[in-house]
Amino acid sequence: MPYSVAVAGASGYAGGELLRLLAAHPEFEVTTVTAHSNAGQPLIAVQPHLRSLAHLTLVETTAANLAGHDIVFLALPHGASGAIAAELGGGTVVVDCGADHRLTDADAWARFYGGEYHGAWAYGLPELVHADGSKQRDHLAGVNRIAVPGCNVTAISIGLAPAVQAGLVSAEDLVAILAVGPSGAGKSLRTNLLASEVLGSAYAYGVGGTHRHTPEIVQNLTLAGGTGTTVSFTPMLVPMSRGILATATARLAPGSTLESVRAAYDAVYGDEPFVHVTPAGQYPRVADTIGANTALVGLAIDETAGRLVTVTALDNLVKGTAGAAIQSTNIALGLDETAGLSVNGVAP
């Protein structure tokens, strides 16, 4: 018998991507899809690309409609997941694609998000290396509550964590500049996300340490062994519908070389199905990750500045959200970690 699955927030971009991937999962069957303003409409009316799920109708997002499923994916706005999740029983695996259960520090939640703090769940970035060399994957087996990372956080954490863990860079004075597609901001109508505002332009937002993903990045890189971790993180909206290209730099520790850096990354990611380090001198493109649950990492040393440079590409809706959710759920349930997920992107 397949696991019964409900997706809350199924009319949005993250919810739609969850459904696209779940439709091909050999062990999961989507039986319920929920929405807010779109409740009552056929799913196909708001997600017309999901032809195999045309039989589903969106219902209201309530705990009652989500209860009774084996797995519930919450693709809801920040602040909306906590209350609903609290009403779902322990027999259901609940996966939150929002921010409500990511942060372990209640004060950080208050500063960057505000509202009620609902506590931290098992963190859904399996490849994140810890200071002792273990992986976050070890903390996902058998859990029934999973917090999916922020998409920008995933790109920066994957790019820098191995070097931090190996002591090859300082965790102080980390800098990350990201080119991101507007789908990461959700489907709500906003003037700054209109095509006429985005096409032919690029602009920075969340400048000066104000972006909500900042404390989550610090949390991850501290877990990787960083001391006094600080990050200056600036995302830039660029005219691609989906994807992230994260260029992150860190001060090299004395004696660190490109060879020692590559050895550290190969040790952490060499056997990972979804995180791949590109060959020396080659750097990833966002285009090569679209539609796939992959993160590609390129490495360089800026000898003059004495800094490591990492370039990480991923699809914000797959490895950055929906793919990570499904990958982590597979681990929690003891299934093949790669079930329902592809490493092959879409080109051109």
Side-chain angles (χ1 to χ4, degrees), residues 149-186:
C151 53
N152 299 308
V153 180
T154 295
I156 296 171
S157 300
I158 284 175
L160 289 176
V164 170
Q165 190 272 335
L168 296 171
V169 298
S170 169
E172 300 177 27
D173 187 30
L174 304 174
V175 177
I177 307 295
L178 278 64
V180 303
S183 60

Side-chain angles (χ1 to χ4, degrees), residues 302-323:
D302 184 334
E303 297 285 359
T304 302
R307 297 184 75 87
L308 169 68
V309 181
T310 71
V311 181
T312 305
L314 55 79
D315 184 329
N316 60 294
L317 292 178
V318 188
K319 185 55 178 166
T321 307

